[in-house]
Amino acid sequence: MEAVAAIVALIFVLFVVLGTYATVKAVGAAKRGVDRTVAQARRTVEDSTLRAKTLAQPGAFGELAQLRLSLRTSMRATQDALHAGVGEDESLKESLALFQRLSAHGHELDADMKRLEREPNRAHLIEQLPKLRERTEQITKSADALRSAARDRARRFAGDDLDSLSQQIDMEAGALRHWTKEPAPAQPPPPWPEAPAAAGDQQTWPDTAPSRTAEEAAAEEPTPTRPAITPPAARPTYPWEKKRRPESTT
């Protein structure tokens, strides 16, 4: 019984630990989601405010708001492009590291311009505008170059993959339609080359036929016919034989 109670207690503790871990993870994920939502909402509100200032405040303050809006838009677009492509292309990690260094300069410049928005001395703001404009153009130009290169690289890879896929599909379609291919007509075999004619090898026909030999003439002569039965020869007469008397007529 004590062993069973210990096992039950151990299982209970495991469930409590797992439940606590799952709760902490869920709370952390929810907190990160809330933070992202709040940051995005704050960023949207701030961008809308800057757009309104560019229209409502002409002069130095309006130009300052335009510089901030241009900087934030360029940096955000480059960040989204690099983060979206680094999952598929490992070579973009180096580009992302360079952007993080550039992003530190961008945040510093944005903070300087944000402080100048509350600057009561308008002359000081006008004096700082050329430097702020130059720094903004330098940072946004670098960010745009990184973003453009990343997009061109992704487009090139997509085009190469599409070309390869199209070739494979064409080959597969041809293999599926193999019965539609007509066999090529059989070519007749080439003729044999003629043998060269040797000197004196031509056949000539004499004007008169050659005389036949005696044997050929004899062979062609008709053979005299022989009787089927040989007639009897005359019997010879000997002296000791008696003469035959003539038969009487009586």
Side-chain angles (χ1 to χ4, degrees):
M1 294 297 295
E2 294 180 357
V4 174
I7 293 174
V8 172
L10 180 60
I11 294 174
F12 177 76
V13 171
L14 288 177
F15 274 112
V16 170
V17 171
L18 290 176
T20 304
Y21 177 76
T23 303
V24 171
K25 294 291 289 183
V27 171
K31 184 177 182 301
R32 286 192 298 272
V34 171
D35 292 340
R36 283 196 300 268
T37 303
V38 172
Q40 185 176 1
R42 186 185 297 114
R43 184 170 59 248
T44 302
V45 172
E46 194 167 0
D47 289 347
S48 301
T49 303
L50 290 174
R51 290 190 182 92
K53 286 182 179 181
T54 58
L55 300 175
Q57 297 180 353
F61 287 100
E63 184 177 356
L64 184 62
Q66 181 62 39
L67 290 177
R68 284 194 65 196
L69 184 61
S70 176
L71 176 66
R72 291 163 65 90
T73 303
S74 177
M75 297 297 287
R76 189 180 304 117
T78 304
Q79 175 179 316
D80 294 342
L82 292 178
H83 279 290
V86 73
E88 300 177 357
D89 190 358
E90 294 292 333
S91 62
L92 290 180
K93 287 185 177 180
E94 185 176 355
S95 301
L96 187 59
L98 293 175
F99 174 75
Q100 290 175 355
R101 294 173 56 186
L102 183 65
S103 182
H105 292 280
H107 284 298
E108 183 181 356
L109 176 59
D110 185 66
D112 292 342
M113 290 190 292
K114 189 174 182 178
R115 284 193 299 268
L116 287 174
E117 286 180 349
R118 298 185 296 269
E119 177 64 38
N121 190 354
R122 187 182 182 87
H124 179 69
L125 175 60
I126 296 175
E127 182 183 356
Q128 295 294 323
L129 273 178
K131 296 181 181 179
L132 296 174
R133 190 183 303 113
E134 182 180 359
R135 290 173 61 189
T136 302
E137 291 178 356
Q138 185 177 4
I139 293 176
T140 55
K141 184 178 180 180
S142 299
D144 293 344
L146 280 176
R147 184 175 67 256
S148 178
R151 288 177 177 174
D152 290 344
R153 184 179 180 87
R155 247 189 323 266
R156 177 61 182 272
F157 284 165
D160 293 343
D161 183 68
L162 180 59
D163 293 341
S164 176
L165 180 60
S166 299
Q167 293 178 0
Q168 294 178 7
I169 290 176
D170 292 341
M171 293 176 61
E172 182 64 20
L176 292 176
R177 298 192 186 98
H178 64 89
W179 65 86
T180 61
K181 295 182 179 179
E182 297 181 357
Q187 297 293 335
W192 292 98
E194 297 181 359
D201 199 17
Q202 294 182 348
Q203 184 177 5
T204 58
W205 298 94
D207 296 337
T208 58
S211 60
R212 293 179 296 176
T213 62
E215 295 179 357
E216 293 178 353
E220 293 181 0
E221 290 181 357
T223 305
T225 57
R226 297 178 61 184
I229 300 176
T230 303
R235 182 180 180 186
T237 303
Y238 298 99
W240 58 84
E241 291 183 351
K242 294 181 179 180
K243 292 182 181 182
R244 298 180 64 184
R245 290 181 297 176
E247 295 181 358
S248 61
T249 58
T250 58

